[in-house]
Amino acid sequence: MNAAAAHRSQLPPAILLMGPTASGKTAVALTLARRFPVELISVDSAQVFCDMNIGTAKPDAATLALCPHHLIDLISPQQAYSAARFCADALAAMTAIRARGKVPLLVGGTMLYFKALLEGLVDLPPADPATRAAIDRQAATDGWPALHAELALLDPITAARLHSTDAQRIQRALEVFHLAGRPLSALIAAGRTQAPTSQFLAIGLVPSERSVLHQLIAQRFAAMLENGLEDEVVALREKYALHAGLPSMRCVGYRQVWEVQEGRAPRGELLERGIYATRQLAKRQITWLGNTLRPTTVDCLAADVDDQVAWQIERFLG
């Protein structure tokens, strides 16, 4: 055993359960919580927002009472959350869980957060409201594809992995360049500042048939609309000072409802647009799993998915 492997073997265990939207992560996690001495930590950049329940598929109150989730309902929809804060919050929760003699089970679909936890953080400049406001103004005039083209000149490596309408990440990459004077990709290549603090078992729930996942996505978004997603957005707008550029309102589902309520998209296209956006999200999540995170994969459509995941955990925990 080399030194790195020996070091990893001495780290306390933690389990990562990751997968695309609608892959059944929460249901599997709840089953695992009944079978193993685990506590759940949410790895979801949308479920951190208070009062955003329907569109984030947040576990209901009864489920949370039976099986509490850490890192849910942390901030208001007016605020922003980051991978750096997630790592700090997750590590604190993991420490507390271990102190209770249990194993952290981190569950979700925000792949950037998983990557930050596994590989450590890059030392990046903090968000700057003035810089972001200037970028937003330029985007309002020229459009995000134009800013993506600008990013391609300043940081072609980062631009190549971003869609031309990925406003949040294009904004952050441009912000970093303006504040640090160096491309985001160069800062990432320079090294990470925090090593993993656990021996992780990473399990990815990946569908064997993408078309079946697409059906599940369509059913779930339709159910969200039936359960009052549009009314939820109305209530959020009444309670908080929100605008379309906030991370909370950029979340899939909320963005599409916002556009309808602002008159920028037809009401009759809401279901179709929401399903399409969710499918695109799932596609990106699956790409992350296959190209970057590379967990042990289990077919989320398998009838015995719970048992397959449990078997992996039994081997890991010994």
Side-chain angles (χ1 to χ4, degrees):
M1 181 182 294
N2 61 33
H7 172 68
R8 284 194 299 272
S9 69
Q10 297 170 3
L11 295 172
I15 302 161
L16 310 180
L17 183 64
M18 52 187 75
T21 185
S23 60
K25 298 181 294 294
T26 298
V28 172
L30 294 175
T31 298
L32 296 175
R34 292 191 289 267
R35 298 175 65 169
F36 296 97
V38 298
E39 287 189 33
L40 274 57
I41 299 174
S42 171
V43 186
D44 190 305
S45 60
Q47 292 186 358
V48 299
F49 296 113
C50 297
D51 298 316
M52 291 175 55
N53 303 322
I54 298 171
T56 65
K58 194 176 293 178
D60 60 27
T63 299
L64 293 175
L66 289 172
C67 186
H69 289 49
H70 301 269
L71 308 194
I72 284 179
D73 293 334
L74 298 180
I75 60 175
S76 90
Q78 295 171 263
Q79 298 174 297
Y81 199 72
S82 67
R85 179 169 171 186
F86 166 77
C87 284
D89 290 345
L91 292 172
M94 290 164 70
T95 299
I97 290 168
R98 289 169 182 146
R100 291 188 283 272
K102 294 188 176 182
V103 176
L105 171 58
L106 295 96
V107 184
T110 301
M111 304 305 170
L112 178 63
Y113 289 3
F114 280 120
K115 185 174 189 291
L117 194 65
L118 287 166
E119 299 182 4
L121 295 168
V122 178
D123 188 14
L124 298 177
D128 180 72
T131 302
R132 290 194 169 189
I135 294 170
D136 282 338
R137 287 194 296 271
Q138 184 180 353
T141 302
D142 301 333
W144 286 107
L147 269 70
H148 182 264
E150 178 182 331
L151 180 63
L153 298 175
L154 300 173
D155 186 354
I157 294 174
T158 298
R161 63 178 177 81
L162 300 181
H163 191 275
S164 63
T165 58
D166 190 345
Q168 186 172 356
R169 291 180 176 86
I170 293 170
Q171 180 195 61
R172 179 56 176 158
L174 288 170
E175 177 188 40
V176 167
F177 183 86
H178 292 312
L179 295 176
R182 297 178 64 194
L184 174 61
S185 58
L187 295 175
I188 291 173
R192 298 181 180 272
T193 59
Q194 179 178 308
T197 59
S198 294
Q199 182 186 10
F200 291 110
L201 168 65
I203 300 174
L205 300 182
V206 180
S208 54
E209 296 182 51
R210 196 77 64 93
S211 61
V212 177
L213 181 68
H214 291 169
Q215 293 172 14
L216 294 172
I217 287 171
Q219 293 167 7
R220 189 166 85 156
F221 192 74
M224 288 177 176
L225 292 178
E226 291 173 5
N227 291 334
L229 177 57
E230 293 176 88
D231 290 338
E232 181 173 83
V233 175
V234 170
L236 288 167
R237 299 181 70 170
E238 290 175 349
K239 184 174 181 179
Y240 302 100
L242 302 178
H243 59 81
L246 287 168
S248 61
M249 293 299 105
R250 292 176 181 171
C251 291
V252 168
Y254 292 91
R255 176 186 295 187
Q256 286 69 41
V257 172
W258 182 285
E259 289 171 347
V260 167
Q261 293 181 352
E262 289 288 291
R264 292 190 279 115
R267 172 68 181 76
E269 296 179 4
L270 177 55
L271 176 61
E272 179 183 352
R273 289 165 61 87
I275 292 171
Y276 176 78
T278 310
R279 285 175 57 169
Q280 292 301 108
L281 170 61
K283 180 180 179 181
R284 293 193 297 271
Q285 291 168 317
I286 292 171
T287 299
W288 267 90
L289 290 171
N291 294 349
T292 304
L293 297 172
R294 299 181 180 178
T296 298
T297 58
V298 174
D299 180 9
C300 65
L301 306 177
D304 62 343
V305 59
D306 294 343
D307 291 334
Q308 289 190 48
V309 174
W311 181 76
Q312 295 286 346
I313 292 175
E314 287 169 355
R315 293 181 61 202
F316 176 66
L317 297 179

